[in-house]
Every structure is written in C-alpha cells, then in structure tokens.
Amino acid sequence: MAHDSGRLSCPLEETLTAIQEGLMREYRAECLPAHRRSPRRTRRLRRIRGWSREIEGLISQVGRVVRETLPRIERDTGHTFQDQDRLIPVLMDNSTKRLFLDILAGFPEDALPVPAKDLALLGRFPDDARALALIGDVTLRLKVLPGPHVEVPGLAPLCDRWGLHESRLGLACRRRPAGETLLREKETLARAVLGLIYIEGGTDALGGAVSLLGCGPGGVAG
C-alpha cells in the first residue's frame, strides 16, 4: 500500500507538475509540421497531449483537495494528517491507474518525465484506496463498535459532510452514478478515510470521526 510500500521521490503536486512539464517537452521535441508527420507520429502526439491535459486536470483537483477537503476532515476529527499526500490515494479512481501506467509504458525508461518507480506507485493508488476501505471497515467492526455483529452505521452522510465524492480525482469522476452505485462509492470513500486515520493514529484518532456517526469506542450512541 502507498503508506508502507514506498514514497514518491518528491511531494505529489511536484511529481505531477514534473510529469506534465516532461510530457510537454516531449510533445515539442516530437512535433513536426502537419505535412511532415506520419499517421503514427500524429497519433502519438495526440496521446502525449491527452496525457498532459489529464495531468493538468489532476494538479488542479489535488490542489482543491489540499485547500478544502483535507482541512475539513482535520477540523471535524481533530486528527492532523502526518503527510497531506497520504489522503490523495483515497480519492484516486481507476482512470488515474490507467493514465499513469500508460505513461510508464509509453516511453523508454531513460525518457520518462519522472522515475519509473514513481509512475508505478501512482498507478497503484486506486488499489490502495480499496485496501484502506477494508481496514476502515474491519476497524469499525472490531475496535469501535460493541461487537462484530453490530451493523456499521451508514457512512454516506460522513462522505457527504466531507465532500469526498465531489473531491475524487480522475476522468471517471465526470460520470454521474446514482442509486446503489453512488451509495457504495460514498461508503467506500468514507471507510478508506477512516482506515487511513486509524493507520496514522490508532483507535483514539478515530474518536472525532466516529462521534459524527453517533458512535464511539464504547459503542453506538442511542
């Protein structure tokens, strides 16, 4: 997982900026007048330009998370994240996995805009979010609620309170799920944040979050 399997060489926003700048350098280096381009080169330029635009969008989205979403969670829970970059993987959807792995495969290693290990790590972020959600769910059941058979309170309201679904990162966020699909996505996001808080601060750090659900270390409030 991202929190224990390695760290990016630079902070996330710096890494994304380096990727975007490197892609644009490559675009300019490969760009020829239209009448001199082969169909293959034209397709490649379009791909590089598309990757650059997606990275530019991610930089903007990450900035919004850092300015708005992260402080909202910290105010509510009283937990200060040890590294603001650790929240970002929770919010990355599968479209970012495809993006980073495509860039990794699209260049020789010595021509990549950032180290290959950074792109590989970024490509694993969506999987990390699912693992964190499982940790959050197990922690609620075994260490917060009064017993493993107690129903976990609905977490969609907590997701709404923190604006997690609106803060997701990636192209897939443009779609508008509804009904059970939307509910599952919201529950997963909230569980993943709780899982991250637990990993950083243990059960005590969850107190501020679970109190918003009407439960605490002693059980569910009646």
Side-chain angles (χ1 to χ4, degrees):
M1 297 177 61
H3 55 271
D4 58 13
S5 66
R7 296 176 63 86
L8 296 173
S9 302
C10 299
L12 179 59
E13 285 190 89
E14 289 183 27
T15 300
L16 292 176
T17 298
I19 294 172
Q20 203 267 341
E21 291 175 348
L23 289 171
M24 290 311 300
R25 282 196 304 271
E26 189 68 22
Y27 182 89
R28 290 190 292 269
E30 295 192 21
C31 191
L32 294 172
H35 69 279
R36 294 177 55 194
R37 295 180 202 163
S38 66
R40 181 177 180 180
R41 182 179 289 261
T42 296
R43 288 192 298 271
R44 176 164 175 78
L45 288 171
R46 286 174 179 168
R47 290 193 77 194
I48 294 174
R49 185 68 174 175
W51 291 335
S52 176
R53 287 173 177 167
E54 289 185 51
I55 294 294
E56 187 175 17
L58 278 178
I59 293 171
S60 175
Q61 292 171 343
V62 168
R64 186 182 69 243
V65 169
V66 171
R67 292 190 307 272
E68 301 175 10
T69 311
L70 186 144
R72 193 180 300 136
I73 297 171
E74 291 184 335
R75 284 195 300 268
D76 264 359
T77 64
H79 174 74
T80 300
F81 288 102
Q82 297 168 14
D83 181 346
Q84 66 184 27
D85 282 358
R86 300 180 80 174
L87 179 65
I88 303 303
V90 172
L91 301 172
M92 283 190 169
D93 66 35
N94 278 328
S95 69
T96 64
K97 180 176 184 176
R98 185 267 308 157
L99 169 63
F100 293 120
L101 296 184
D102 280 356
I103 295 172
L104 179 60
F107 297 91
E109 185 167 350
D110 60 358
L112 288 169
V114 297
K117 71 177 185 65
D118 287 346
L119 286 165
L121 183 61
L122 288 165
R124 293 199 299 270
F125 276 3
D127 296 328
D128 295 339
R130 287 188 288 273
L132 283 170
L134 179 61
I135 292 172
D137 184 64
V138 171
T139 301
L140 282 175
R141 293 179 185 279
L142 299 183
K143 298 192 176 184
V144 175
L145 300 179
H149 302 297
V150 174
E151 183 177 354
V152 176
L155 297 178
L158 187 60
C159 178
D160 291 338
R161 180 184 180 100
W162 290 339
L164 299 178
H165 201 266
E166 295 79 8
S167 300
R168 290 179 311 144
L169 308 169
L171 283 178
C173 303
R174 297 174 185 173
R175 63 185 175 85
R176 301 290 182 181
E180 287 298 319
T181 300
L182 176 60
L183 183 62
R184 284 195 301 271
E185 289 184 2
K186 288 183 175 183
E187 296 264 341
T188 298
L189 287 169
R191 281 182 168 87
V193 171
L194 295 179
L196 177 58
I197 292 174
Y198 171 71
I199 286 172
E200 288 203 348
T203 304
D204 290 344
L206 283 177
V210 298
S211 66
L212 301 172
L213 304 173
C215 62
V220 179

